[in-house]
């Protein structure tokens, strides 16, 4: 049986941004957009609980229809409210759908409240999404922006997100994901974990957050491509920042020969096509910047091993040399660079990989241990 709250939970783009989406009702040419929107909303919740709608109005000059003060209560007692649901543009092909003032009170495992200030879906293709969850992701969540998310458990606030923006429509040659100020109260969440797991989880939390118990993350991922003379050039850049822990950045440039009849957009949605693509060389650069995490890893490793930090680092250097004897100098250089980060001799490690030409992406994944012999890898610390 279709369940609107459960469907919403499965659509989480971190933490459940699509919790209020209605189902598609059959259009009726004799009805205006206000009547159609009300019918679609009531059709979505039919049989699952009770729905109240405060008011639905339209603005013809601005091509806008708005449903206000939506309140739904499921048979299980879960409550969902939306202050405004706004459809802009042609109802059959809207330019934008906006949901404002979203609040979800759920009681499945434990009491939880999620509030979202606003979700904006750009060019969603229809005023309301399909009921099918897979079709929902494919047809309706291609481009969206979310702001002001907060998640609370009975013990208090546990997570917040200032802004999230997703551009998943790959047909226009670019896409990306941007996350601003995602904060998670790890300490409070660990308190709710099984007792036998809390010690290990607190150890991980202390290493990641320098003992604060609060994790903050910012991230950016951009991708674009261009097609020329039957070849495609894929470019991607991005970074993840963990406050007081680390910064991981990447820059990728891949000239690719696609299978006949395949577009770059299709390449990213079908793993089989991705593996069948032929690399024409390319470069991958990964930059790892320490923000305090690696020295804490050394402290933790020494404590767990019952040795001093000096002894632990010496053991790590010896192990790096051992792996170098087995897998080559490139692997040794990478592991030795990580040791430099842990001992504070370096703040940044940069790994640059030049990929072989005329090779299948699938073949590179078949034998990962042989990869160091197949491409040029350079490691630099500073």
């Amino acid at each position: 049986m279709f369940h609107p709250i459960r469907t919403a939970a499965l659509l989480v783009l971190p933490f459940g941004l699509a919790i209020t989406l209605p189902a598609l009702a059959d259009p009726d040419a004799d009805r205006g957009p206000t009547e159609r929107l009300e019918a679609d909303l009531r059709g979505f919740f039919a049989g699952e609980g009770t729905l109240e709608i405060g008011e639905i109005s339209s603005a013809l000059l601005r091509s806008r229809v708005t449903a206000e003060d939506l309140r739904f209560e499921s048979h299980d007692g879960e409550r969902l409210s939306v202050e405004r649901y706004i459809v802009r543009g042609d109802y059959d092909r809207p330019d934008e759908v906006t949901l404002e003032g979203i609040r979800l009170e759920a009681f499945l495992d434990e009491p939880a409240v999620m509030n979202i200030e606003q979700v904006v879906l750009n060019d969603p293709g229809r005023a309301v999404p399909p009921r099918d969850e897979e079709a929902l992701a494919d047809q309706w969540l291609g481009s969206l922006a979310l702001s002001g998310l907060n998640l609370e458990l009975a013990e208090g606030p546990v997570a917040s997100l200032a802004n999230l923006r997703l551009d998943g429509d790959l047909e226009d040659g670019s896409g990306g994901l941007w996350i601003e100020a995602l904060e998670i109260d790890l300490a409070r969440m660990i308190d709710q974990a099984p007792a036998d797991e809390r010690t290990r989880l607190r150890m991980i939390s202390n290493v990641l957050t320098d003992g604060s118990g609060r994790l903050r993350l910012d991230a950016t991922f951009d991708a674009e491509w261009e097609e020329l003379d039957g070849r495609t050039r894929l470019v991607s850049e991005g970074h993840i920042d963990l406050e007081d822990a680390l910064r991981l950045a990447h820059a990728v440039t891949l000239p690719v020969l696609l299978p006949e009849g395949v577009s770059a957009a299709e390449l990213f949605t079908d793993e089989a096509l991705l593996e069948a693509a032929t690399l024409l060389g390319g470069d991958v650069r990964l930059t790892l910047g320490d923000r305090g995490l690696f020295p804490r890893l050394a402290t933790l490793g020494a404590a767990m091993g019952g040795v001093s930090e000096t002894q632990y680092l010496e053991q790590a250097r010896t192990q790096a040399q051992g792996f170098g004897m087995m897998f080559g100098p490139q692997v040794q250089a990478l592991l030795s660079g990580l040791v430099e980060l842990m001992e504070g001799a370096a703040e940044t490690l940069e790994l640059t990989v030049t990929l072989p030409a005329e090779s299948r992406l699938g073949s590179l994944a078949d034998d990962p241990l042989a990869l160091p012999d197949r491409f040029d890898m350079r490691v630099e610390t500073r």
Side-chain angles (χ1 to χ4, degrees):
M1 180 180 67
F2 176 73
H3 193 299
I5 301 295
R6 185 180 304 116
T7 297
L10 293 174
L11 297 171
V12 175
L13 283 171
F15 304 108
L17 52 97
I19 55 179
T20 61
L21 307 183
L24 178 64
D26 293 333
D28 186 342
D30 295 329
R31 295 182 298 175
T34 56
E35 293 84 0
R36 293 175 64 184
L37 181 57
E38 180 175 1
D40 290 348
L41 289 168
R42 296 195 181 282
F44 172 73
F45 292 106
E48 301 294 338
T50 59
L51 173 67
E52 297 178 1
I53 302 176
E55 181 182 5
I56 300 183
S57 60
S58 63
L60 296 179
L61 294 180
R62 298 181 181 179
S63 298
R64 183 182 68 200
V65 56
T66 303
E68 298 188 53
D69 196 18
L70 308 179
R71 297 183 184 277
F72 169 75
E73 183 169 349
S74 75
H75 296 312
D76 298 326
E78 298 161 325
R79 292 189 291 268
L80 173 68
S81 63
V82 182
E83 291 181 6
R84 280 173 294 278
Y85 185 105
I86 307 167
V87 180
R88 292 183 171 89
D90 187 338
Y91 188 87
D92 291 308
R93 185 77 186 186
D95 301 319
E96 180 182 286
V97 173
T98 301
L99 293 84
E100 299 177 349
I102 305 165
R103 179 180 176 88
L104 172 64
E105 299 175 57
F107 309 96
L108 296 178
D109 298 318
E110 64 173 299
V113 177
M114 181 188 300
N115 290 288
I116 303 176
E117 291 179 3
Q118 185 181 76
V119 176
V120 179
L121 298 107
N122 296 304
D123 193 22
R126 57 175 75 186
V128 291
R131 297 176 73 102
D132 179 77
E133 293 159 8
E134 182 176 351
L136 174 63
D138 292 339
Q139 300 175 20
W140 223 60
L141 300 180
S143 178
L144 60 87
L146 177 152
S147 60
L149 182 149
N150 290 278
L151 177 63
E152 296 186 15
L153 301 180
E155 300 74 22
V158 295
S160 65
L161 174 64
N163 293 286
L164 178 146
R165 184 163 61 92
L166 170 68
D167 180 2
D169 182 5
L170 308 180
E171 296 291 344
D172 62 357
S174 65
L177 172 66
W178 299 266
I179 299 173
E180 179 185 351
L182 169 61
E183 295 193 23
I184 303 174
D185 190 334
L186 294 179
R188 182 165 282 164
M189 296 182 72
I190 290 171
D191 287 340
Q192 308 309 307
D196 59 346
E197 297 181 10
R198 291 174 195 165
T199 298
R200 178 179 59 87
L201 293 175
R202 287 192 180 106
M203 185 182 302
I204 296 172
S205 173
N206 288 337
V207 171
L208 285 175
T209 67
D210 196 19
S212 71
R214 299 191 65 86
L215 181 70
R216 170 166 172 150
L217 180 148
D218 296 280
T220 297
F221 301 96
D222 291 294
E224 61 182 36
W225 55 90
E226 58 183 4
E227 299 186 50
L228 182 64
D229 298 330
R231 298 184 177 186
T232 300
R233 181 173 176 268
L234 307 176
V235 178
S236 175
E237 294 185 352
H239 69 268
I240 298 175
D241 278 319
L242 289 178
E243 189 175 86
D244 297 325
L246 61 84
R247 175 185 174 91
L248 177 63
H250 79 273
V252 179
T253 301
L254 298 178
V256 178
L257 182 62
L258 303 181
E260 185 175 354
V262 174
S263 69
E266 293 172 318
L267 186 72
F268 286 98
T269 59
D270 190 324
E271 183 177 346
L273 293 176
L274 184 63
E275 293 180 352
T278 301
L279 281 175
L280 304 176
D283 297 290
V284 178
R285 185 174 72 252
L286 299 176
T287 304
L288 181 59
D290 179 57
R291 301 293 186 269
L293 174 65
F294 283 89
R296 296 197 294 268
L297 286 175
T299 301
L300 176 62
M304 295 180 65
V307 298
S308 68
E309 288 189 33
T310 300
Q311 290 172 316
Y312 175 78
L313 292 169
E314 187 58 39
Q315 291 174 2
R317 275 189 289 268
T318 301
Q319 290 175 347
Q321 293 171 358
F323 278 106
M325 294 176 64
M326 289 188 290
F327 302 113
Q330 295 173 326
V331 172
Q332 179 176 338
L334 174 60
L335 297 177
S336 296
L338 294 175
V339 174
E340 290 185 42
L341 293 178
M342 286 192 290
E343 66 182 352
E347 294 182 350
T348 302
L349 182 150
E350 186 170 279
L351 172 67
T352 304
V353 176
T354 301
L355 300 172
E358 302 297 332
S359 61
R360 293 291 180 92
L361 289 174
S363 68
L364 295 178
D366 291 339
D367 188 7
L369 293 180
L371 289 180
D373 295 328
R374 300 186 59 184
F375 52 62
D376 175 55
M377 184 171 77
R378 301 181 300 280
V379 178
E380 179 183 356
T381 57
R382 54 183 182 273

